[in-house]
Amino acid sequence: MENKRWYKEMAVYQIWPRSFCDGNGDGIGDLWGVLQKLDYIKSLNVDGIWFSPLYPSPNADYGYDISDYKNIHPDYGDLDVFKQVLDGAHERGLRVFMDLVINHTSDEHPWFIESKKGKDNPYHDYYYWRPGRSLHRPPNNWDSLFEGGAWEYDEGLDEWYLHIFSKKQPDLNMSNPKVREEVKSIMRFWLDMGVDGFREDVITYISKVEGLPSAKIKLPAATGMGYYTNGPHVHEYLAEFKRDVLDFYDCFTVGEGPRMEPETALSYVREGKDQELNMMINFAHMEADCFITDFLQRPFDLRKLKKAFTKWQDGMYGKGWNALYLENHDHPRIISRYGSERYRTESGKMLAASYLFQCGTPFVYQGQEIGMLNNRLTSIDLYKDIMVKNNARIARKLGLPASKVLELAQKSTRDNARTPMQWSDAEYAGFSTATPWFYVNSNYKEINVESQLDDPDSLLNFYRSALLFRRDNPLVIYGRYKEYYPESKELYVYERSYDERRLLVVCSFTEEPVRFDAPADYELEKGKRVFSNYEENYIISNGFTTRPYEMRVYLF
Ligand code: NOJ
């Protein structure tokens, strides 16, 4: 029997604060803006909000480089307005989750500034400072995932520091017990204030192999990854955080685990006394049109997507819990990737049904619910994100022509998900009264919240009803998953079953007509059609021929 828990029954809305809503008219999203939108968030039928980092940060990686863990970035407000948001959310029955970024800090964090002052400084050992192998040779051959090598030299100390991400994001030395005490103190600070849990950024990277040895196998722009992913002490550290902090609160944790298999995820989230995290964000289904990173594009392959979905559904069922998502601040917009901009509403609803009714806790990213699309800028220089600039640099070095580099960047950049939220057809899409910090997508007059609010057929209202349906139906929350027709290149068909009830979800990933025949033990006429994305829904010979991106959900 399933182990019922509140975090399994909730759905979460993700806010990337800089682009959500500007409440003080400076062109930057903030917590005053969030306050104005709490009723809207509640109306989506979600149960919680995950905030991407709200902390003070020089924004080398837009908040994922933190310079003060116990405060709010002045662009977004202060602790008082944060408390108002927290109370306002709680009054509406919404929980609040913070992003916990503890693999690295900003190089402008006081700990790092201190650590640089001398080898005897008490903060020196908060980071990985090491002597070079020889003059001009860093301590090992690891790559930074964001820019060149993973080490930066400091002349004053004649030592190098490790940064898996940008050089403005030095890695914390988690093997130092003082650093772990700091992490616990950060967790307590927010939990004591009333926050309900954490999304833990690249949590699988926090323990590095002893001695930081050079990697024997070189990986393009990711050499060394095997030496800091799921490292030797990661479970110990997480167990310690749980024992000393999390166990004292009714809270929730979701880890982020790049390049992970369900078996490994279970080593973190397996239910039982040794469970360290409640669930893990995996990336497998984000690689159906690319290889490892969004930049390395390949044609979309539905079978790859289905394989990933099913592997995680089957691999976790009854043992651990899944985090379900199609969008977040790290990936381009899903309709532009796996759906069709031409059939935006149809494919948007189909994509929503393809994941919201799986087993797990669904996350919906700001703007996903109204079908926001990628924003193609005309030059790499116009983009803001450090990652796309790095990818473009590597691609140029490999000799790719400028036009190809731009095309890859446009398709893959995280900036696609970071354009201002489109609230209305007013100037700046109703996001702000001042020029926004980043380009608003020019399609905002057509795609915006206001135009969808009262339209029963809008994508927004589809999300609302699908999330309500999920919340009301234990079948969708706890039911068993089964996939049909795994070989189909056009259709994704899955079933959820619970007690005597079954849900059948049929999703077409093409605009071409495809014949769908109900699986052997189904009689479509006997089912109740609970969702579809076209008005007429004929059934012919226990099946139908799909229209572009058609989706139907039947309850039996
Ligand atoms: C994962 C975050 O989601 C991403 O935005 C960030 O750049 C890296 N971790 C580094 O913190």
Side-chain angles (χ1 to χ4, degrees):
M1 202 50 193
E2 73 285 340
N3 172 13
K4 293 193 169 167
R5 300 288 303 278
W6 61 259
Y7 65 78
K8 298 181 178 177
E9 301 185 5
M10 72 176 176
V12 179
Y13 190 70
Q14 183 193 349
I15 290 184
W16 197 75
R18 207 165 188 77
S19 288
F20 184 63
C21 181
D22 174 14
N24 70 349
D26 63 357
I28 298 173
D30 53 44
L31 289 168
W32 297 284
V34 174
L35 264 183
Q36 294 168 23
K37 300 297 181 188
L38 284 176
D39 284 331
Y40 169 75
I41 298 168
K42 177 70 186 170
S43 82
L44 299 174
N45 296 317
V46 294
D47 312 278
I49 304 171
W50 148 30
F51 283 105
S52 273
L54 288 165
Y55 319 96
S57 160
N59 282 334
D61 187 17
Y62 286 102
Y64 286 90
D65 48 321
I66 298 172
S67 54
D68 180 357
Y69 285 92
K70 296 182 180 171
N71 218 329
I72 297 293
H73 196 302
D75 283 351
Y76 305 147
D78 54 25
L79 284 170
D80 283 338
V81 62
F82 177 76
K83 280 185 204 138
Q84 287 177 49
V85 168
L86 188 61
D87 291 345
H90 285 166
E91 278 160 23
R92 290 166 177 80
L94 295 168
R95 302 192 200 240
V96 173
F97 310 112
M98 296 294 268
D99 220 306
L100 187 76
V101 188
I102 54 168
N103 178 66
H104 44 267
T105 67
S106 162
D107 65 340
E108 296 180 35
H109 194 291
W111 300 337
F112 189 73
I113 294 170
E114 282 299 308
S115 85
K116 252 173 128 163
K117 288 188 177 159
K119 295 177 187 157
D120 303 332
N121 187 287
Y123 289 92
H124 191 66
D125 202 27
Y126 269 42
Y127 296 88
Y128 290 101
W129 283 106
R130 296 288 185 274
R133 281 172 288 181
S134 58
L135 192 66
H136 305 311
R137 278 188 86 212
N140 68 26
N141 66 355
W142 298 0
D143 286 324
S144 150
L145 301 177
F146 278 178
E147 46 181 350
W151 295 90
E152 189 67 13
Y153 182 65
D154 182 86
E155 228 169 283
L157 288 171
D158 187 25
E159 281 187 327
W160 303 67
Y161 68 85
L162 175 69
H163 61 92
I164 302 297
F165 293 92
S166 81
K167 53 184 167 219
K168 286 192 65 65
Q169 293 167 291
D171 280 53
L172 277 168
N173 173 11
M174 205 59 70
S175 69
N176 179 347
K178 285 197 204 141
V179 173
R180 300 203 297 279
E181 285 311 314
E182 300 277 12
V183 170
K184 292 182 217 170
S185 155
I186 295 163
M187 287 177 150
R188 288 191 195 101
F189 177 84
W190 294 103
L191 291 168
D192 286 339
M193 196 183 295
V195 158
D196 302 284
F198 302 104
R199 175 263 187 193
E200 304 193 358
D201 190 67
V202 287
I203 200 64
T204 49
Y205 288 5
I206 64 171
S207 166
K208 278 79 176 164
V209 165
E210 237 84 35
L212 312 176
S214 274
K216 295 204 183 71
I217 300 169
K218 290 218 163 203
L219 300 172
T223 299
M225 196 171 239
Y227 296 78
Y228 56 79
T229 307
N230 308 309
H233 301 288
V234 63
H235 293 295
E236 242 169 76
Y237 301 155
L238 293 181
E240 181 179 327
F241 298 152
K242 183 164 180 286
R243 182 197 67 212
D244 293 354
V245 183
L246 300 171
D247 275 349
F248 293 88
Y249 302 83
D250 180 24
C251 64
F252 149 87
T253 51
V254 52
E256 184 199 30
R259 309 218 58 69
M260 166 150 312
E261 294 292 321
E263 254 327 295
T264 318
L266 284 171
S267 68
Y268 296 88
V269 306
R270 188 185 291 277
E271 292 176 17
K273 69 171 179 32
D274 294 330
Q275 181 177 8
E276 295 154 9
L277 300 167
N278 294 127
M279 57 186 95
M280 189 65 95
I281 296 171
N282 86 82
F283 287 55
H285 62 290
M286 291 282 103
E287 289 181 26
D289 63 354
C290 63
F291 182 62
I292 303 185
T293 142
D294 292 332
F295 196 76
L296 299 177
Q297 301 273 311
R298 56 185 172 190
F300 173 68
D301 180 344
L302 176 62
R303 282 188 299 184
K304 285 206 168 68
L305 178 67
K306 299 197 297 182
K307 235 176 151 173
F309 277 157
T310 299
K311 176 154 100 177
W312 280 82
Q313 288 291 300
D314 289 347
M316 302 295 276
Y317 193 77
K319 302 179 204 149
W321 197 249
N322 270 309
L324 309 172
Y325 72 96
L326 286 180
E327 284 192 13
N328 62 36
H329 63 291
D330 286 337
H331 300 283
R333 295 289 182 178
I334 202 65
I335 292 176
S336 303
R337 291 182 70 174
Y338 295 177
S340 156
E341 295 192 355
R342 179 164 169 221
Y343 295 100
R344 189 173 59 79
T345 304
E346 292 84 351
S347 69
K349 291 179 183 176
M350 181 282 289
L351 287 162
S354 78
Y355 90 107
L356 288 179
F357 301 135
Q358 289 185 28
C359 186
T361 294
F363 290 73
V364 178
Y365 178 67
Q366 68 188 39
Q368 179 185 340
E369 76 277 22
I370 55 165
M372 280 178 63
L373 303 177
N374 283 355
N375 196 19
R376 288 167 196 84
L377 300 181
T378 51
S379 151
I380 306 259
D381 298 335
L382 300 178
Y383 288 113
K384 302 268 187 194
D385 181 28
I386 182 168
M387 199 168 170
V388 72
K389 291 184 194 279
N390 188 45
N391 286 336
R393 186 184 54 81
I394 298 172
R396 277 189 214 108
K397 231 167 112 184
L398 291 173
L400 261 67
S403 57
K404 185 70 191 164
V405 176
L406 179 62
E407 185 199 320
L408 289 174
Q410 288 169 331
K411 279 196 181 150
S412 68
T413 177
R414 310 193 291 183
D415 284 328
N416 282 314
R418 299 175 177 190
T419 60
M421 176 77 180
Q422 294 162 209
W423 293 103
S424 71
D425 64 2
E427 200 179 16
Y428 307 131
F431 162 76
S432 174
T433 49
T435 310
W437 75 280
F438 193 36
Y439 305 99
V440 174
N441 196 315
S442 58
N443 62 24
Y444 73 92
K445 287 207 188 272
E446 190 199 337
I447 305 175
N448 61 66
V449 171
E450 206 173 82
S451 66
Q452 297 191 28
L453 275 177
D454 299 322
D455 170 3
D457 293 329
S458 67
L459 182 58
L460 172 61
N461 279 311
F462 180 81
Y463 267 93
R464 286 170 160 166
S465 21
L467 288 166
L468 189 64
F469 180 77
R470 176 186 183 275
R471 186 195 272 157
D472 285 348
N473 281 283
L475 161 70
V476 187
I477 300 172
Y478 293 110
R480 218 168 227 299
Y481 167 96
K482 178 173 171 185
E483 186 191 351
Y484 289 97
Y485 311 125
E487 292 309 319
S488 168
K489 293 181 185 153
E490 297 96 7
L491 301 182
Y492 173 42
V493 182
Y494 68 98
E495 161 196 287
R496 303 294 306 286
S497 58
Y498 186 79
D499 289 341
E500 300 297 297
R501 312 224 65 177
R502 289 191 299 175
L503 190 78
L504 186 69
V505 183
V506 184
C507 296
S508 165
F509 278 74
T510 174
E511 53 179 272
E512 303 302 327
V514 183
R515 169 74 195 171
F516 163 73
D517 291 302
D521 54 344
Y522 275 97
E523 266 186 72
L524 283 193
E525 299 279 8
K526 291 205 171 146
K528 177 177 174 210
R529 188 176 40 74
V530 280
F531 291 107
S532 64
N533 55 357
Y534 284 90
E535 241 168 60
E536 309 287 344
N537 289 277
Y538 301 112
I539 295 171
I540 298 168
S541 311
N542 203 23
F544 55 92
T545 298
T546 60
R547 287 155 287 183
Y549 296 91
E550 181 155 5
M551 168 272 301
R552 296 192 199 181
V553 181
Y554 289 93
L555 183 63
F556 295 86

